[in-house]
């Protein structure tokens, strides 16, 4: 079974750093892009960026460029999303998802989500 | 950027109803349109890809249609487990994919 399992919920203070993870299993991790999506409380879905673990090629949404860093460690089939200095506005649920490419492309499956709460 | 809109933003329906949700792109995206279902507290789940292809394991009461700028998700007979929020997503503008704002389907 193809699965993405994310790390657990985090509670942080403004200014702290954080790295959350997304571990893939049941498929060739290096052969599929992994994307990250933010969902702020009560709001919709926003693309943050995407990485190809095979060669670490990374692309960011302009809205998130410079705000977060996406990385991957293919030796342990894990992608990461990190912040160097969190803000209260980073409070959200974060999802990773695998990109499938056919005639078009889509995302499946999705991780279960990691809730990040930033509060003083 | 390609902007996605959905209508309605919410709807109330009864079990057994036929439900139609519309998604519109700000420019032509051919068939590069996907639909996801999200239940409260859960991750999004892929329903339809490439505008009209049903994801494996998804009930056949779900269907998608459209191309260019206008797309539709139809639930032929609404079931209790279908009450959720539905999002469209364009995959034409790689890698700057965008989602619609969502349509919440709740119980009448």
């Amino acid at each position: 079974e193809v699965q993405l399992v994310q790390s657990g919920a985090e509670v942080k203070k403004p200014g702290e750093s954080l790295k959350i993870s997304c571990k893939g299993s049941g498929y060739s991790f290096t052969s599929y892009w992994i994307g990250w999506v933010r969902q702020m409380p009560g709001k919709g879905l926003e693309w943050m960026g995407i990485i190809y673990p095979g060669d670490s090629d990374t692309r960011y949404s302009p809205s998130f460029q410079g705000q977060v860093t996406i990385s991957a460690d293919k030796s342990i089939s894990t992608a990461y999303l990190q912040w160097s200095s969190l803000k209260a506005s980073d409070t959200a649920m974060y999802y990773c998802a695998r990109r499938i490419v056919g005639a078009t492309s889509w995302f499946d499956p999705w991780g279960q989500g990691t809730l990040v709460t930033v509060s003083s | 950027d390609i902007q996605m809109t959905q209508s309605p933003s919410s709807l109330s329906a009864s079990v057994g109803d036929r439900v139609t949700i519309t998604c519109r792109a700000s420019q032509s995206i051919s068939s590069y349109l996907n639909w996801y279902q999200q239940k409260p507290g859960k991750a999004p789940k892929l329903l339809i890809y490439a505008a009209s292809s049903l994801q494996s394991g998804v009930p056949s009461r779900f269907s998608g249609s459209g191309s260019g700028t206008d797309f539709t998700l139809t639930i032929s007979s609404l079931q209790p487990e279908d009450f959720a929020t539905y999002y469209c997503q364009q995959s034409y503008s790689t890698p700057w994919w965008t989602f619609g704002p969502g349509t919440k389907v709740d119980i009448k």
Side-chain angles (χ1 to χ4, degrees):
Chain A
E1 179 193 8
V2 175
Q3 265 191 308
L4 295 174
V5 177
Q6 298 185 229
S7 50
E10 302 274 1
V11 180
K12 292 289 189 178
K13 292 182 174 7
E16 291 186 332
S17 62
L18 176 64
K19 192 174 190 177
I20 63 174
S21 66
C22 169
K23 183 174 176 60
S25 62
Y27 73 100
S28 174
F29 185 73
T30 54
S31 300
Y32 294 84
W33 292 82
I34 294 284
W36 287 94
V37 174
R38 182 176 77 174
Q39 187 168 39
M40 299 179 78
K43 302 298 184 183
L45 304 169
E46 304 172 85
W47 278 114
M48 302 178 71
I50 195 163
I51 188 166
Y52 189 74
D55 61 7
S56 292
D57 186 5
T58 308
R59 317 287 175 85
Y60 293 92
S61 162
S63 299
F64 292 93
Q65 178 84 47
Q67 308 304 308
V68 297
T69 301
I70 294 170
S71 61
D73 184 340
K74 60 186 179 183
S75 70
I76 54 172
S77 301
T78 302
Y80 301 97
L81 176 66
Q82 69 180 86
W83 296 259
S84 58
S85 181
L86 286 160
K87 304 185 279 289
S89 57
D90 293 318
T91 294
M93 182 71 83
Y94 294 88
Y95 295 102
C96 61
R98 183 183 70 156
R99 181 187 180 216
I100 306 292
V101 178
T104 67
S105 71
W106 53 93
F107 289 84
D108 181 72
W110 292 58
Q112 83 278 19
T114 296
L115 180 62
V116 174
T117 303
V118 184
S119 174
S120 54
Chain B
D1 284 13
I2 298 176
Q3 307 301 318
M4 307 300 293
T5 57
Q6 289 182 233
S7 60
S9 56
S10 64
L11 66 91
S12 295
S14 301
V15 172
D17 283 353
R18 182 181 182 87
V19 169
T20 298
I21 298 168
T22 297
C23 175
R24 177 165 289 172
S26 60
Q27 67 183 71
S28 176
I29 58 170
S30 184
S31 296
Y32 289 69
L33 191 283
N34 308 313
W35 289 98
Y36 300 87
Q37 175 194 64
Q38 187 179 33
K39 296 181 180 180
K42 299 294 186 182
K45 172 189 170 186
L46 177 70
L47 297 177
I48 301 284
Y49 61 93
S52 60
S53 295
L54 190 68
Q55 171 67 351
S56 176
V58 174
S60 59
R61 62 181 179 273
F62 291 93
S63 64
S65 64
S67 67
T69 59
D70 295 319
F71 301 87
T72 299
L73 174 71
T74 299
I75 310 171
S76 60
S77 177
L78 196 67
Q79 297 302 300
E81 60 269 29
D82 301 337
F83 292 96
T85 299
Y86 294 85
Y87 294 93
C88 62
Q89 176 241 330
Q90 63 83 14
S91 62
Y92 183 83
S93 178
T94 299
W96 297 280
W97 302 284
T98 45
F99 291 93
T103 295
K104 184 177 181 181
V105 176
D106 61 22
I107 301 172
K108 186 182 246 182

